[in-house]
Amino acid sequence: MLVRLFVLPLVAAVGLVLGGSAANSADAATACAGRPAKTVGFKTGELRVYKNRSYACAVAVAKKPGPRRTMSVRIQARGGSPVVDSGSYTRQAGPVTVHALNRCVRASATISGRSGSTDWILC
């Protein structure tokens, strides 16, 4: 009886704590690697661009996650083809990544018809 009153709730609490941290790490895995290089805010969300040594990455994040809506994110290295992720999402579009060692990049994002973009950056 004593085991049921103290040990079982303790085991359940530890499971909730560990499950919560696993969920947070899964969310972090969907974001870009590298350091934040540029953030462009617009009415319905943000375009976030990240850079590490060889790559640039972009993601479009909605200001208010909720029902599915049209989102897209695009990144292009100078001289290369653009990489695009578009569809119907609840929270974010992307990440999209391009090889950008010693190359400028530009990025754009659209969420529910509103958009934001960068000029050539990271040159």
mmCIF file of all heavy atoms in Angstrom, residues 47-98:
data_model
loop_
_atom_site.group_PDB
_atom_site.id
_atom_site.type_symbol
_atom_site.label_atom_id
_atom_site.label_comp_id
_atom_site.label_asym_id
_atom_site.label_seq_id
_atom_site.Cartn_x
_atom_site.Cartn_y
_atom_site.Cartn_z
ATOM 1 N N LEU A 47 10.786 35.280 -40.977
ATOM 2 C CA LEU A 47 11.755 34.541 -41.771
ATOM 3 C C LEU A 47 13.036 34.536 -40.966
ATOM 4 O O LEU A 47 13.535 35.586 -40.569
ATOM 5 C CB LEU A 47 11.991 35.230 -43.116
ATOM 6 C CG LEU A 47 13.211 34.786 -43.915
ATOM 7 C CD1 LEU A 47 13.102 33.333 -44.328
ATOM 8 C CD2 LEU A 47 13.409 35.688 -45.120
ATOM 9 N N ARG A 48 13.556 33.345 -40.682
ATOM 10 C CA ARG A 48 14.796 33.227 -39.907
ATOM 11 C C ARG A 48 15.847 32.559 -40.777
ATOM 12 O O ARG A 48 15.619 31.483 -41.322
ATOM 13 C CB ARG A 48 14.566 32.403 -38.646
ATOM 14 C CG ARG A 48 13.562 33.033 -37.702
ATOM 15 C CD ARG A 48 13.314 32.163 -36.506
ATOM 16 N NE ARG A 48 12.237 32.724 -35.683
ATOM 17 C CZ ARG A 48 11.634 32.050 -34.725
ATOM 18 N NH1 ARG A 48 11.993 30.813 -34.453
ATOM 19 N NH2 ARG A 48 10.675 32.612 -34.039
ATOM 20 N N VAL A 49 17.011 33.210 -40.869
ATOM 21 C CA VAL A 49 18.123 32.686 -41.657
ATOM 22 C C VAL A 49 19.270 32.369 -40.712
ATOM 23 O O VAL A 49 19.609 33.185 -39.845
ATOM 24 C CB VAL A 49 18.580 33.690 -42.745
ATOM 25 C CG1 VAL A 49 19.731 33.119 -43.550
ATOM 26 C CG2 VAL A 49 17.424 34.072 -43.653
ATOM 27 N N TYR A 50 19.858 31.198 -40.868
ATOM 28 C CA TYR A 50 20.968 30.733 -40.037
ATOM 29 C C TYR A 50 22.158 30.422 -40.931
ATOM 30 O O TYR A 50 21.994 30.080 -42.100
ATOM 31 C CB TYR A 50 20.576 29.466 -39.267
ATOM 32 C CG TYR A 50 19.444 29.671 -38.304
ATOM 33 C CD1 TYR A 50 18.119 29.638 -38.735
ATOM 34 C CD2 TYR A 50 19.688 29.908 -36.969
ATOM 35 C CE1 TYR A 50 17.072 29.827 -37.849
ATOM 36 C CE2 TYR A 50 18.650 30.095 -36.071
ATOM 37 C CZ TYR A 50 17.342 30.055 -36.525
ATOM 38 O OH TYR A 50 16.310 30.245 -35.635
ATOM 39 N N LYS A 51 23.361 30.510 -40.352
ATOM 40 C CA LYS A 51 24.582 30.254 -41.111
ATOM 41 C C LYS A 51 25.544 29.463 -40.248
ATOM 42 O O LYS A 51 25.738 29.759 -39.083
ATOM 43 C CB LYS A 51 25.217 31.600 -41.498
ATOM 44 C CG LYS A 51 26.565 31.506 -42.179
ATOM 45 C CD LYS A 51 26.438 31.180 -43.634
ATOM 46 C CE LYS A 51 27.754 31.422 -44.351
ATOM 47 N NZ LYS A 51 28.365 30.255 -44.883
ATOM 48 N N ASN A 52 26.126 28.419 -40.836
ATOM 49 C CA ASN A 52 27.283 27.789 -40.223
ATOM 50 C C ASN A 52 28.416 27.907 -41.234
ATOM 51 O O ASN A 52 28.302 28.640 -42.207
ATOM 52 C CB ASN A 52 26.990 26.347 -39.763
ATOM 53 C CG ASN A 52 26.706 25.392 -40.886
ATOM 54 O OD1 ASN A 52 27.073 25.616 -42.029
ATOM 55 N ND2 ASN A 52 26.030 24.311 -40.566
ATOM 56 N N ARG A 53 29.483 27.212 -41.051
ATOM 57 C CA ARG A 53 30.662 27.429 -41.891
ATOM 58 C C ARG A 53 30.370 27.269 -43.384
ATOM 59 O O ARG A 53 30.770 28.092 -44.192
ATOM 60 C CB ARG A 53 31.778 26.468 -41.480
ATOM 61 C CG ARG A 53 33.064 26.727 -42.222
ATOM 62 C CD ARG A 53 34.198 25.884 -41.666
ATOM 63 N NE ARG A 53 35.451 26.263 -42.292
ATOM 64 C CZ ARG A 53 35.863 25.777 -43.452
ATOM 65 N NH1 ARG A 53 35.119 24.929 -44.113
ATOM 66 N NH2 ARG A 53 37.021 26.168 -43.954
ATOM 67 N N SER A 54 29.664 26.231 -43.758
ATOM 68 C CA SER A 54 29.483 25.921 -45.171
ATOM 69 C C SER A 54 28.061 26.085 -45.685
ATOM 70 O O SER A 54 27.855 26.119 -46.896
ATOM 71 C CB SER A 54 29.902 24.469 -45.440
ATOM 72 O OG SER A 54 31.244 24.272 -45.091
ATOM 73 N N TYR A 55 27.087 26.165 -44.803
ATOM 74 C CA TYR A 55 25.697 26.145 -45.232
ATOM 75 C C TYR A 55 24.904 27.319 -44.671
ATOM 76 O O TYR A 55 25.213 27.843 -43.613
ATOM 77 C CB TYR A 55 25.022 24.834 -44.786
ATOM 78 C CG TYR A 55 25.570 23.631 -45.505
ATOM 79 C CD1 TYR A 55 26.651 22.922 -44.998
ATOM 80 C CD2 TYR A 55 25.028 23.226 -46.712
ATOM 81 C CE1 TYR A 55 27.168 21.836 -45.672
ATOM 82 C CE2 TYR A 55 25.539 22.140 -47.396
ATOM 83 C CZ TYR A 55 26.608 21.449 -46.874
ATOM 84 O OH TYR A 55 27.120 20.373 -47.553
ATOM 85 N N ALA A 56 23.857 27.683 -45.398
ATOM 86 C CA ALA A 56 22.872 28.648 -44.926
ATOM 87 C C ALA A 56 21.525 27.933 -44.927
ATOM 88 O O ALA A 56 21.259 27.073 -45.773
ATOM 89 C CB ALA A 56 22.837 29.872 -45.825
ATOM 90 N N CYS A 57 20.702 28.281 -43.967
ATOM 91 C CA CYS A 57 19.428 27.605 -43.777
ATOM 92 C C CYS A 57 18.360 28.650 -43.473
ATOM 93 O O CYS A 57 18.645 29.675 -42.855
ATOM 94 C CB CYS A 57 19.574 26.621 -42.611
ATOM 95 S SG CYS A 57 18.082 25.732 -42.196
ATOM 96 N N ALA A 58 17.128 28.390 -43.917
ATOM 97 C CA ALA A 58 16.032 29.321 -43.664
ATOM 98 C C ALA A 58 14.795 28.559 -43.218
ATOM 99 O O ALA A 58 14.562 27.414 -43.629
ATOM 100 C CB ALA A 58 15.719 30.134 -44.915
ATOM 101 N N VAL A 59 13.991 29.214 -42.394
ATOM 102 C CA VAL A 59 12.734 28.659 -41.915
ATOM 103 C C VAL A 59 11.740 29.813 -41.766
ATOM 104 O O VAL A 59 12.121 30.929 -41.416
ATOM 105 C CB VAL A 59 12.936 27.887 -40.580
ATOM 106 C CG1 VAL A 59 13.400 28.785 -39.471
ATOM 107 C CG2 VAL A 59 11.710 27.126 -40.193
ATOM 108 N N ALA A 60 10.477 29.549 -42.091
ATOM 109 C CA ALA A 60 9.395 30.515 -41.900
ATOM 110 C C ALA A 60 8.577 30.048 -40.709
ATOM 111 O O ALA A 60 8.111 28.909 -40.683
ATOM 112 C CB ALA A 60 8.516 30.590 -43.137
ATOM 113 N N VAL A 61 8.408 30.921 -39.719
ATOM 114 C CA VAL A 61 7.703 30.558 -38.491
ATOM 115 C C VAL A 61 6.496 31.478 -38.313
ATOM 116 O O VAL A 61 6.627 32.701 -38.350
ATOM 117 C CB VAL A 61 8.641 30.680 -37.264
ATOM 118 C CG1 VAL A 61 7.908 30.286 -35.993
ATOM 119 C CG2 VAL A 61 9.885 29.840 -37.456
ATOM 120 N N ALA A 62 5.336 30.878 -38.106
ATOM 121 C CA ALA A 62 4.106 31.647 -37.912
ATOM 122 C C ALA A 62 4.114 32.340 -36.562
ATOM 123 O O ALA A 62 4.598 31.791 -35.575
ATOM 124 C CB ALA A 62 2.891 30.732 -38.015
ATOM 125 N N LYS A 63 3.565 33.567 -36.509
ATOM 126 C CA LYS A 63 3.459 34.277 -35.230
ATOM 127 C C LYS A 63 2.496 33.565 -34.296
ATOM 128 O O LYS A 63 2.738 33.463 -33.105
ATOM 129 C CB LYS A 63 2.965 35.712 -35.453
ATOM 130 C CG LYS A 63 4.055 36.676 -35.764
ATOM 131 C CD LYS A 63 3.548 38.095 -35.727
ATOM 132 C CE LYS A 63 4.686 39.034 -36.073
ATOM 133 N NZ LYS A 63 4.251 40.410 -36.185
ATOM 134 N N LYS A 64 1.392 33.077 -34.852
ATOM 135 C CA LYS A 64 0.385 32.386 -34.050
ATOM 136 C C LYS A 64 0.119 31.022 -34.668
ATOM 137 O O LYS A 64 -0.655 30.905 -35.619
ATOM 138 C CB LYS A 64 -0.906 33.200 -33.997
ATOM 139 C CG LYS A 64 -0.761 34.517 -33.280
ATOM 140 C CD LYS A 64 -2.072 35.251 -33.211
ATOM 141 C CE LYS A 64 -1.889 36.576 -32.500
ATOM 142 N NZ LYS A 64 -3.140 37.335 -32.450
ATOM 143 N N PRO A 65 0.766 29.977 -34.138
ATOM 144 C CA PRO A 65 0.476 28.635 -34.647
ATOM 145 C C PRO A 65 -0.998 28.318 -34.459
ATOM 146 O O PRO A 65 -1.624 28.773 -33.509
ATOM 147 C CB PRO A 65 1.339 27.725 -33.785
ATOM 148 C CG PRO A 65 2.394 28.613 -33.223
ATOM 149 C CD PRO A 65 1.777 29.962 -33.088
ATOM 150 N N GLY A 66 -1.552 27.559 -35.369
ATOM 151 C CA GLY A 66 -2.970 27.235 -35.279
ATOM 152 C C GLY A 66 -3.389 26.346 -36.418
ATOM 153 O O GLY A 66 -2.693 25.391 -36.744
ATOM 154 N N PRO A 67 -4.493 26.703 -37.063
ATOM 155 C CA PRO A 67 -4.986 25.853 -38.149
ATOM 156 C C PRO A 67 -4.036 25.872 -39.349
ATOM 157 O O PRO A 67 -3.223 26.785 -39.505
ATOM 158 C CB PRO A 67 -6.333 26.483 -38.516
ATOM 159 C CG PRO A 67 -6.246 27.880 -38.028
ATOM 160 C CD PRO A 67 -5.351 27.860 -36.826
ATOM 161 N N ARG A 68 -4.150 24.863 -40.181
ATOM 162 C CA ARG A 68 -3.305 24.782 -41.371
ATOM 163 C C ARG A 68 -3.554 25.969 -42.284
ATOM 164 O O ARG A 68 -4.686 26.403 -42.452
ATOM 165 C CB ARG A 68 -3.591 23.487 -42.130
ATOM 166 C CG ARG A 68 -3.115 22.280 -41.390
ATOM 167 C CD ARG A 68 -3.108 21.058 -42.296
ATOM 168 N NE ARG A 68 -2.488 19.941 -41.627
ATOM 169 C CZ ARG A 68 -1.182 19.730 -41.572
ATOM 170 N NH1 ARG A 68 -0.361 20.565 -42.152
ATOM 171 N NH2 ARG A 68 -0.690 18.710 -40.926
ATOM 172 N N ARG A 69 -2.452 26.484 -42.831
ATOM 173 C CA ARG A 69 -2.529 27.585 -43.792
ATOM 174 C C ARG A 69 -1.350 27.489 -44.742
ATOM 175 O O ARG A 69 -0.378 26.790 -44.473
ATOM 176 C CB ARG A 69 -2.563 28.928 -43.085
ATOM 177 C CG ARG A 69 -1.328 29.172 -42.249
ATOM 178 C CD ARG A 69 -1.580 30.232 -41.249
ATOM 179 N NE ARG A 69 -1.032 29.734 -39.990
ATOM 180 C CZ ARG A 69 -0.952 30.447 -38.923
ATOM 181 N NH1 ARG A 69 -1.377 31.669 -38.906
ATOM 182 N NH2 ARG A 69 -0.445 29.948 -37.834
ATOM 183 N N THR A 70 -1.435 28.188 -45.827
ATOM 184 C CA THR A 70 -0.385 28.140 -46.839
ATOM 185 C C THR A 70 0.862 28.846 -46.344
ATOM 186 O O THR A 70 0.796 30.001 -45.909
ATOM 187 C CB THR A 70 -0.866 28.797 -48.143
ATOM 188 O OG1 THR A 70 -2.067 28.160 -48.552
ATOM 189 C CG2 THR A 70 0.175 28.672 -49.233
ATOM 190 N N MET A 71 2.006 28.129 -46.412
ATOM 191 C CA MET A 71 3.294 28.693 -46.019
ATOM 192 C C MET A 71 4.344 28.243 -47.017
ATOM 193 O O MET A 71 4.248 27.148 -47.574
ATOM 194 C CB MET A 71 3.729 28.200 -44.643
ATOM 195 C CG MET A 71 2.890 28.640 -43.501
ATOM 196 S SD MET A 71 3.658 28.096 -41.956
ATOM 197 C CE MET A 71 2.310 28.307 -40.840
ATOM 198 N N SER A 72 5.331 29.094 -47.205
ATOM 199 C CA SER A 72 6.480 28.696 -48.018
ATOM 200 C C SER A 72 7.722 29.425 -47.538
ATOM 201 O O SER A 72 7.646 30.519 -46.976
ATOM 202 C CB SER A 72 6.240 28.985 -49.500
ATOM 203 O OG SER A 72 6.215 30.365 -49.740
ATOM 204 N N VAL A 73 8.862 28.794 -47.777
ATOM 205 C CA VAL A 73 10.153 29.400 -47.474
ATOM 206 C C VAL A 73 11.085 29.034 -48.620
ATOM 207 O O VAL A 73 11.006 27.943 -49.182
ATOM 208 C CB VAL A 73 10.700 28.959 -46.098
ATOM 209 C CG1 VAL A 73 10.969 27.477 -46.055
ATOM 210 C CG2 VAL A 73 11.940 29.742 -45.722
ATOM 211 N N ARG A 74 11.944 29.968 -48.978
ATOM 212 C CA ARG A 74 12.842 29.790 -50.119
ATOM 213 C C ARG A 74 14.199 30.381 -49.769
ATOM 214 O O ARG A 74 14.283 31.458 -49.174
ATOM 215 C CB ARG A 74 12.244 30.523 -51.309
ATOM 216 C CG ARG A 74 13.118 30.670 -52.489
ATOM 217 C CD ARG A 74 12.412 31.560 -53.503
ATOM 218 N NE ARG A 74 13.299 31.939 -54.565
ATOM 219 C CZ ARG A 74 13.037 31.802 -55.845
ATOM 220 N NH1 ARG A 74 11.877 31.326 -56.227
ATOM 221 N NH2 ARG A 74 13.908 32.173 -56.738
ATOM 222 N N ILE A 75 15.268 29.681 -50.140
ATOM 223 C CA ILE A 75 16.618 30.196 -49.972
ATOM 224 C C ILE A 75 17.408 29.863 -51.229
ATOM 225 O O ILE A 75 17.205 28.816 -51.842
ATOM 226 C CB ILE A 75 17.296 29.645 -48.695
ATOM 227 C CG1 ILE A 75 18.598 30.395 -48.408
ATOM 228 C CG2 ILE A 75 17.505 28.157 -48.788
ATOM 229 C CD1 ILE A 75 19.156 30.135 -47.022
ATOM 230 N N GLN A 76 18.281 30.798 -51.619
ATOM 231 C CA GLN A 76 19.071 30.623 -52.830
ATOM 232 C C GLN A 76 20.474 31.167 -52.620
ATOM 233 O O GLN A 76 20.637 32.284 -52.142
ATOM 234 C CB GLN A 76 18.408 31.360 -54.002
ATOM 235 C CG GLN A 76 19.166 31.264 -55.295
ATOM 236 C CD GLN A 76 18.483 32.020 -56.419
ATOM 237 O OE1 GLN A 76 17.531 32.757 -56.203
ATOM 238 N NE2 GLN A 76 18.982 31.843 -57.623
ATOM 239 N N ALA A 77 21.462 30.379 -52.963
ATOM 240 C CA ALA A 77 22.843 30.856 -52.957
ATOM 241 C C ALA A 77 23.103 31.499 -54.315
ATOM 242 O O ALA A 77 22.585 31.038 -55.341
ATOM 243 C CB ALA A 77 23.804 29.699 -52.738
ATOM 244 N N ARG A 78 23.888 32.558 -54.333
ATOM 245 C CA ARG A 78 24.185 33.247 -55.585
ATOM 246 C C ARG A 78 24.830 32.272 -56.568
ATOM 247 O O ARG A 78 25.773 31.573 -56.239
ATOM 248 C CB ARG A 78 25.098 34.445 -55.348
ATOM 249 C CG ARG A 78 25.298 35.268 -56.618
ATOM 250 C CD ARG A 78 25.966 36.568 -56.336
ATOM 251 N NE ARG A 78 24.946 37.511 -55.841
ATOM 252 C CZ ARG A 78 25.229 38.735 -55.427
ATOM 253 N NH1 ARG A 78 26.462 39.164 -55.408
ATOM 254 N NH2 ARG A 78 24.274 39.519 -54.999
ATOM 255 N N GLY A 79 24.263 32.209 -57.768
ATOM 256 C CA GLY A 79 24.751 31.302 -58.793
ATOM 257 C C GLY A 79 24.136 29.921 -58.739
ATOM 258 O O GLY A 79 24.410 29.087 -59.587
ATOM 259 N N GLY A 80 23.287 29.673 -57.750
ATOM 260 C CA GLY A 80 22.670 28.354 -57.599
ATOM 261 C C GLY A 80 21.165 28.416 -57.755
ATOM 262 O O GLY A 80 20.574 29.482 -57.903
ATOM 263 N N SER A 81 20.550 27.266 -57.732
ATOM 264 C CA SER A 81 19.094 27.173 -57.824
ATOM 265 C C SER A 81 18.471 27.356 -56.443
ATOM 266 O O SER A 81 19.057 26.964 -55.437
ATOM 267 C CB SER A 81 18.692 25.800 -58.355
ATOM 268 O OG SER A 81 19.219 25.609 -59.644
ATOM 269 N N PRO A 82 17.269 27.924 -56.391
ATOM 270 C CA PRO A 82 16.605 28.083 -55.095
ATOM 271 C C PRO A 82 16.107 26.739 -54.560
ATOM 272 O O PRO A 82 15.781 25.831 -55.325
ATOM 273 C CB PRO A 82 15.438 29.010 -55.399
ATOM 274 C CG PRO A 82 15.184 28.851 -56.846
ATOM 275 C CD PRO A 82 16.498 28.514 -57.483
ATOM 276 N N VAL A 83 16.066 26.644 -53.236
ATOM 277 C CA VAL A 83 15.492 25.487 -52.553
ATOM 278 C C VAL A 83 14.234 25.992 -51.858
ATOM 279 O O VAL A 83 14.281 26.991 -51.132
ATOM 280 C CB VAL A 83 16.482 24.882 -51.531
ATOM 281 C CG1 VAL A 83 15.857 23.697 -50.826
ATOM 282 C CG2 VAL A 83 17.774 24.487 -52.221
ATOM 283 N N VAL A 84 13.111 25.309 -52.097
ATOM 284 C CA VAL A 84 11.811 25.785 -51.620
ATOM 285 C C VAL A 84 11.093 24.688 -50.850
ATOM 286 O O VAL A 84 11.152 23.516 -51.222
ATOM 287 C CB VAL A 84 10.929 26.223 -52.821
ATOM 288 C CG1 VAL A 84 9.575 26.718 -52.352
ATOM 289 C CG2 VAL A 84 11.626 27.278 -53.658
ATOM 290 N N ASP A 85 10.414 25.094 -49.780
ATOM 291 C CA ASP A 85 9.475 24.228 -49.087
ATOM 292 C C ASP A 85 8.168 24.990 -49.003
ATOM 293 O O ASP A 85 8.117 26.085 -48.439
ATOM 294 C CB ASP A 85 9.974 23.869 -47.684
ATOM 295 C CG ASP A 85 8.978 23.003 -46.924
ATOM 296 O OD1 ASP A 85 8.247 22.236 -47.572
ATOM 297 O OD2 ASP A 85 8.932 23.092 -45.685
ATOM 298 N N SER A 86 7.120 24.436 -49.592
ATOM 299 C CA SER A 86 5.819 25.095 -49.521
ATOM 300 C C SER A 86 4.739 24.048 -49.308
ATOM 301 O O SER A 86 4.894 22.886 -49.689
ATOM 302 C CB SER A 86 5.541 25.902 -50.792
ATOM 303 O OG SER A 86 5.464 25.036 -51.905
ATOM 304 N N GLY A 87 3.668 24.478 -48.673
ATOM 305 C CA GLY A 87 2.566 23.575 -48.405
ATOM 306 C C GLY A 87 1.627 24.173 -47.386
ATOM 307 O O GLY A 87 1.659 25.376 -47.116
ATOM 308 N N SER A 88 0.823 23.328 -46.789
ATOM 309 C CA SER A 88 -0.142 23.747 -45.783
ATOM 310 C C SER A 88 0.361 23.279 -44.419
ATOM 311 O O SER A 88 0.399 22.070 -44.152
ATOM 312 C CB SER A 88 -1.495 23.127 -46.104
ATOM 313 O OG SER A 88 -2.463 23.540 -45.190
ATOM 314 N N TYR A 89 0.767 24.223 -43.581
ATOM 315 C CA TYR A 89 1.387 23.906 -42.298
ATOM 316 C C TYR A 89 0.693 24.660 -41.166
ATOM 317 O O TYR A 89 0.025 25.662 -41.388
ATOM 318 C CB TYR A 89 2.876 24.288 -42.302
ATOM 319 C CG TYR A 89 3.670 23.610 -43.393
ATOM 320 C CD1 TYR A 89 4.160 24.334 -44.469
ATOM 321 C CD2 TYR A 89 3.939 22.253 -43.335
ATOM 322 C CE1 TYR A 89 4.900 23.717 -45.471
ATOM 323 C CE2 TYR A 89 4.678 21.625 -44.319
ATOM 324 C CZ TYR A 89 5.154 22.366 -45.390
ATOM 325 O OH TYR A 89 5.875 21.759 -46.376
ATOM 326 N N THR A 90 0.913 24.198 -39.938
ATOM 327 C CA THR A 90 0.321 24.856 -38.774
ATOM 328 C C THR A 90 1.288 25.802 -38.081
ATOM 329 O O THR A 90 0.866 26.783 -37.479
ATOM 330 C CB THR A 90 -0.138 23.821 -37.726
ATOM 331 O OG1 THR A 90 0.982 23.036 -37.331
ATOM 332 C CG2 THR A 90 -1.217 22.919 -38.283
ATOM 333 N N ARG A 91 2.603 25.519 -38.155
ATOM 334 C CA ARG A 91 3.566 26.295 -37.373
ATOM 335 C C ARG A 91 4.723 26.844 -38.187
ATOM 336 O O ARG A 91 5.125 27.984 -38.015
ATOM 337 C CB ARG A 91 4.108 25.427 -36.240
ATOM 338 C CG ARG A 91 4.918 26.180 -35.221
ATOM 339 C CD ARG A 91 5.356 25.292 -34.088
ATOM 340 N NE ARG A 91 6.232 24.240 -34.529
ATOM 341 C CZ ARG A 91 7.555 24.239 -34.398
ATOM 342 N NH1 ARG A 91 8.135 25.208 -33.816
ATOM 343 N NH2 ARG A 91 8.283 23.264 -34.831
ATOM 344 N N GLN A 92 5.309 26.035 -39.066
ATOM 345 C CA GLN A 92 6.487 26.503 -39.790
ATOM 346 C C GLN A 92 6.640 25.798 -41.121
ATOM 347 O O GLN A 92 6.166 24.682 -41.295
ATOM 348 C CB GLN A 92 7.760 26.321 -38.977
ATOM 349 C CG GLN A 92 8.282 24.898 -38.924
ATOM 350 C CD GLN A 92 9.582 24.793 -38.160
ATOM 351 O OE1 GLN A 92 9.775 25.486 -37.169
ATOM 352 N NE2 GLN A 92 10.477 23.940 -38.610
ATOM 353 N N ALA A 93 7.311 26.477 -42.042
ATOM 354 C CA ALA A 93 7.733 25.884 -43.307
ATOM 355 C C ALA A 93 9.246 25.815 -43.271
ATOM 356 O O ALA A 93 9.911 26.733 -42.816
ATOM 357 C CB ALA A 93 7.274 26.729 -44.483
ATOM 358 N N GLY A 94 9.793 24.744 -43.748
ATOM 359 C CA GLY A 94 11.235 24.562 -43.723
ATOM 360 C C GLY A 94 11.615 23.636 -42.597
ATOM 361 O O GLY A 94 10.761 23.034 -41.964
ATOM 362 N N PRO A 95 12.861 23.474 -42.389
ATOM 363 C CA PRO A 95 14.014 24.231 -42.878
ATOM 364 C C PRO A 95 14.434 23.824 -44.287
ATOM 365 O O PRO A 95 14.221 22.698 -44.712
ATOM 366 C CB PRO A 95 15.107 23.870 -41.872
ATOM 367 C CG PRO A 95 14.727 22.524 -41.361
ATOM 368 C CD PRO A 95 13.233 22.470 -41.399
ATOM 369 N N VAL A 96 15.003 24.790 -45.002
ATOM 370 C CA VAL A 96 15.617 24.564 -46.305
ATOM 371 C C VAL A 96 17.065 25.019 -46.219
ATOM 372 O O VAL A 96 17.363 26.037 -45.599
ATOM 373 C CB VAL A 96 14.862 25.273 -47.442
ATOM 374 C CG1 VAL A 96 13.521 24.621 -47.694
ATOM 375 C CG2 VAL A 96 14.666 26.750 -47.149
ATOM 376 N N THR A 97 17.964 24.255 -46.824
ATOM 377 C CA THR A 97 19.398 24.495 -46.675
ATOM 378 C C THR A 97 20.079 24.523 -48.032
ATOM 379 O O THR A 97 19.725 23.747 -48.920
ATOM 380 C CB THR A 97 20.020 23.378 -45.818
ATOM 381 O OG1 THR A 97 19.345 23.339 -44.560
ATOM 382 C CG2 THR A 97 21.496 23.619 -45.567
ATOM 383 N N VAL A 98 21.052 25.432 -48.189
ATOM 384 C CA VAL A 98 21.887 25.488 -49.393
ATOM 385 C C VAL A 98 23.353 25.570 -48.986
ATOM 386 O O VAL A 98 23.686 26.054 -47.910
ATOM 387 C CB VAL A 98 21.554 26.701 -50.295
ATOM 388 C CG1 VAL A 98 20.166 26.578 -50.880
ATOM 389 C CG2 VAL A 98 21.721 28.014 -49.566
#
